[in-house]
Amino acid sequence: MPKRDNVEMTEAEFLAAYDLSDYPTVAVTVDVVVLSILDGELVVLVVERAEHPYLGRLALPGGFVAPDESLDSAAVRELAEETGVAAHLDGDTDGVFIEQLATFGDPGRDPRGRVISVAYVAFVPVPSRDLAAGGDARAARWIPLRDLDERFAFDHGAIVAAAVERVRAKIEWATVAGWFVTEPFTIAELRGVYETVWGAEVHPQNFARKVNATEGFVVATGETHQPVGGGRPARLYRRGPAQVIEPPIRRPAVTDDVTAR
Amino acid sequence: MPKRDNVEMTEAEFLAAYDLSDYPTVAVTVDVVVLSILDGELVVLVVERAEHPYLGRLALPGGFVAPDESLDSAAVRELAEETGVAAHLDGDTDGVFIEQLATFGDPGRDPRGRVISVAYVAFVPVPSRDLAAGGDARAARWIPLRDLDERFAFDHGAIVAAAVERVRAKIEWATVAGWFVTEPFTIAELRGVYETVWGAEVHPQNFARKVNATEGFVVATGETHQPVGGGRPARLYRRGPAQVIEPPIRRPAVTDDVTAR
DNA sequence: GTAATAGTGTCTGTGAGACATTATGGC
DNA sequence: GCCATAATGTCTCACAGACACTATTAC
């Protein structure tokens, strides 16, 4: 414990004499909710636990924070280990999107003892099925959010629910929906992200007008893409530099459950 | 470390043999950004550090998380110790408002070693000056957000900045502005919260119309309050049950610095 | 009476919802 | 030709911004 008379020392002397391990310490993990869209459904990347506790149950990719790395770095590292995708923080134009979600630390959330989890949420483009193969040895796979049920280990079900609410709210005012699609993309594909995340239909013409009116949301490539089965060619776009949608795209009132399509 | 062959045990056997302390652990603190409004300015509750490190610098009230308490409980406890105010979580009709903000865990943010901080933000009513006297022995006081400068210990300046952005954004779509005023209050007082938090003028008539049109934002008491120096008596209100303002009250575009009035 | 503040009524402009129409391809 | 999809144009309605006007008090 710090001595009561530490005021009489210099700061250097204090630090030399200080032992932080006298304080209660806990294990800290970083868990990442990797969200994507596959076949018109919002999916989350999960691993099947190969060890106790919760052997055989689903869990979020994650792990303990190394002594010398920041929380953000740990999240990026875990994401890379599980998906093989290089991430950059908070809206870099490369890689994928990842940001801190919330911290979960109820005593008893982990039967092994006091472990608090700093949760992150990541948005990655429609996965080619072999994306998970780029990860580590654990069997990572995508599962749809509608059949989560009670199959999660720890409190990971609550963490996923918080991530879903985050993405549903955030695409209203931020341009992050672009991280769910591969470049180049059509306006219809981008609209599909909103429809899947919200579980509601979005008016096609009004959506296109809004996206094009938002400076820097998307940038036209000049190329077009031919819809399968005929139809007028659709213009192709890339993600633009804008971070904020002003005014926002309001989400229609939904009566869905939080895990519904 | 967990044994590689732990699959062969039962879960109970595994847990009995398990020692979490084999994993790297860190110290975890909870720091609370207590915001209020005093004399038309947004103020934050700070304590002056009486110990190394950062002796004499300003810091947020906070402390280590006890082994058996949740993060939320720790934040409520710290708030009560510093302000004497009993808090309830996330929009209870009693006490004050407090919610988790974000977690700060860069290595090197604390010279004593690896310490991560789970930050909370609380909104409390206009403090009577003796509020801090209800706190513990440390000299807690309110300081205006416009002269924060470099006087904060650790990374607490960044934590405060995040809290300010949280409140500026949150009063747009949530009814939390009511937690900054004492009941009963007038619409003009509630409008003053928005003006102070945003650092921008809000149109009085349009604001009153919007608040009254939002079911459950405020509830009229039937009483009135006489403005000093004359004027029509203002109706008095209490906080209503609604949590969300739908559609939101949009914040006017501001060019201010994040710490400006 | 005047000044000050609160509350009511109304016009207007922006922007989203809805839908008709045109454009461009496969078949 | 028909069908499917994308893009364009336009009408309407909700709602916020602005402002005129009325109401109630202190002085």
Side-chain angles (χ1 to χ4, degrees):
Chain A
M1 297 286 271
K3 300 172 186 166
R4 275 289 156 206
D5 58 1
N6 82 50
V7 173
E8 295 165 13
M9 316 179 195
T10 67
E11 179 145 344
E13 286 170 348
F14 163 79
L15 289 173
Y18 191 86
D19 186 1
L20 189 61
S21 64
D22 290 335
Y23 281 107
T25 62
V26 302
V28 176
T29 62
V30 165
D31 293 314
V32 187
V33 184
V34 188
L35 297 176
S36 189
I37 290 175
L38 186 61
D39 298 333
E41 278 199 301
L42 194 57
V43 293
V44 59
L45 188 72
V46 296
V47 297
E48 192 167 312
R49 287 189 57 81
E51 292 183 344
H52 285 302
Y54 293 105
L55 175 66
R57 302 276 287 279
L58 300 182
L60 295 171
F64 289 95
V65 179
D68 60 342
E69 71 182 345
S70 71
L71 301 173
D72 288 353
S73 303
V76 169
R77 174 177 55 75
E78 289 294 338
L79 177 67
E81 287 176 8
E82 301 294 341
T83 68
V85 174
H88 299 255
L89 282 162
D90 248 42
D92 199 331
T93 47
D94 247 27
V96 301
F97 177 87
I98 185 168
E99 69 173 9
Q100 194 185 105
L101 175 63
T103 298
F104 296 76
D106 281 352
R109 62 174 291 278
D110 189 319
R112 294 171 295 188
R114 189 70 195 266
V115 179
I116 78 169
S117 166
V118 182
Y120 280 73
V121 59
F123 309 151
V124 307
V126 185
S128 51
R129 263 81 167 179
D130 51 61
L131 179 62
D136 69 6
R138 287 185 281 177
R141 65 175 192 270
W142 301 96
I143 65 166
L145 279 169
R146 56 169 164 65
D147 46 56
L148 292 183
D149 305 334
E150 302 295 321
R151 301 189 294 157
F152 269 114
F154 309 107
D155 53 359
H156 288 190
I159 298 177
V160 171
V164 170
E165 184 43 40
R166 169 71 60 93
V167 62
R168 285 186 173 175
K170 186 146 190 168
I171 62 174
E172 290 194 34
W173 57 269
T175 59
V176 292
W179 296 105
F180 283 106
V181 291
T182 51
E183 293 182 323
F185 52 86
T186 66
I187 296 290
E189 288 174 314
L190 189 63
R191 177 168 53 86
V193 172
Y194 279 85
E195 294 187 329
T196 300
V197 169
W198 285 340
E201 295 195 345
V202 175
H203 196 287
Q205 293 95 322
N206 294 338
F207 180 80
R209 173 177 54 180
K210 175 70 180 179
V211 169
N212 286 314
T214 303
E215 183 102 14
F217 190 171
V218 296
V219 177
T221 65
E223 304 294 309
T224 59
H225 168 259
Q226 183 57 46
V228 289
R232 178 170 172 171
R235 288 198 267 264
L236 289 169
Y237 299 85
R238 296 183 181 279
R239 293 180 281 270
Q243 303 291 313
V244 175
I245 304 170
E246 170 60 34
I249 303 174
R250 299 303 316 286
R251 148 172 53 165
V254 282
T255 56
D256 286 15
D257 178 64
V258 80
T259 55
R261 179 211 151 143
Chain B
M1 298 284 271
K3 301 172 186 164
R4 275 290 155 206
D5 57 2
N6 82 50
V7 174
E8 296 165 13
M9 316 179 195
T10 67
E11 177 144 345
E13 288 169 345
F14 163 79
L15 288 174
Y18 191 84
D19 185 2
L20 187 61
S21 64
D22 289 337
Y23 282 106
T25 62
V26 301
V28 176
T29 63
V30 165
D31 293 313
V32 187
V33 184
V34 187
L35 297 177
S36 190
I37 289 174
L38 185 61
D39 299 331
E41 278 199 300
L42 195 57
V43 293
V44 59
L45 189 72
V46 297
V47 297
E48 191 167 312
R49 285 189 58 80
E51 292 182 345
H52 285 303
Y54 293 105
L55 175 66
R57 300 276 287 278
L58 300 182
L60 295 171
F64 289 94
V65 179
D68 60 342
E69 71 182 345
S70 72
L71 301 174
D72 288 353
S73 303
V76 169
R77 174 178 55 75
E78 288 293 339
L79 177 66
E81 288 176 5
E82 301 293 343
T83 68
V85 175
H88 298 254
L89 280 162
D90 249 39
D92 199 329
T93 47
D94 247 29
V96 301
F97 177 87
I98 184 167
E99 69 173 9
Q100 195 185 105
L101 175 64
T103 298
F104 296 77
D106 281 351
R109 63 175 291 279
D110 189 321
R112 293 170 295 189
R114 189 72 195 266
V115 180
I116 78 169
S117 165
V118 183
Y120 280 73
V121 59
F123 308 151
V124 306
V126 184
S128 52
R129 263 82 169 181
D130 51 61
L131 179 62
D136 69 5
R138 286 185 282 177
R141 66 174 191 271
W142 301 97
I143 64 167
L145 279 169
R146 57 170 162 65
D147 45 56
L148 292 183
D149 305 333
E150 301 295 322
R151 302 189 294 158
F152 269 113
F154 309 107
D155 54 358
H156 288 188
I159 298 176
V160 170
V164 170
E165 184 44 40
R166 168 72 60 93
V167 63
R168 285 186 171 173
K170 187 147 192 168
I171 61 174
E172 291 193 35
W173 57 269
T175 59
V176 292
W179 296 106
F180 282 107
V181 291
T182 51
E183 293 182 322
F185 52 84
T186 65
I187 296 291
E189 287 174 314
L190 189 63
R191 177 169 50 86
V193 172
Y194 279 84
E195 294 187 330
T196 300
V197 169
W198 285 340
E201 294 194 345
V202 176
H203 196 288
Q205 292 97 321
N206 293 338
F207 179 80
R209 173 176 55 182
K210 176 69 181 179
V211 170
N212 286 314
T214 303
E215 184 103 13
F217 190 172
V218 295
V219 178
T221 65
E223 306 292 310
T224 59
H225 167 259
Q226 183 57 46
V228 289
R232 179 171 171 170
R235 288 197 267 263
L236 288 169
Y237 299 84
R238 295 184 183 278
R239 293 180 282 269
Q243 302 292 313
V244 175
I245 303 170
E246 171 59 36
I249 303 175
R250 300 302 316 288
R251 147 172 53 165
V254 281
T255 57
D256 286 17
D257 177 66
V258 80
T259 55
R261 182 215 151 138

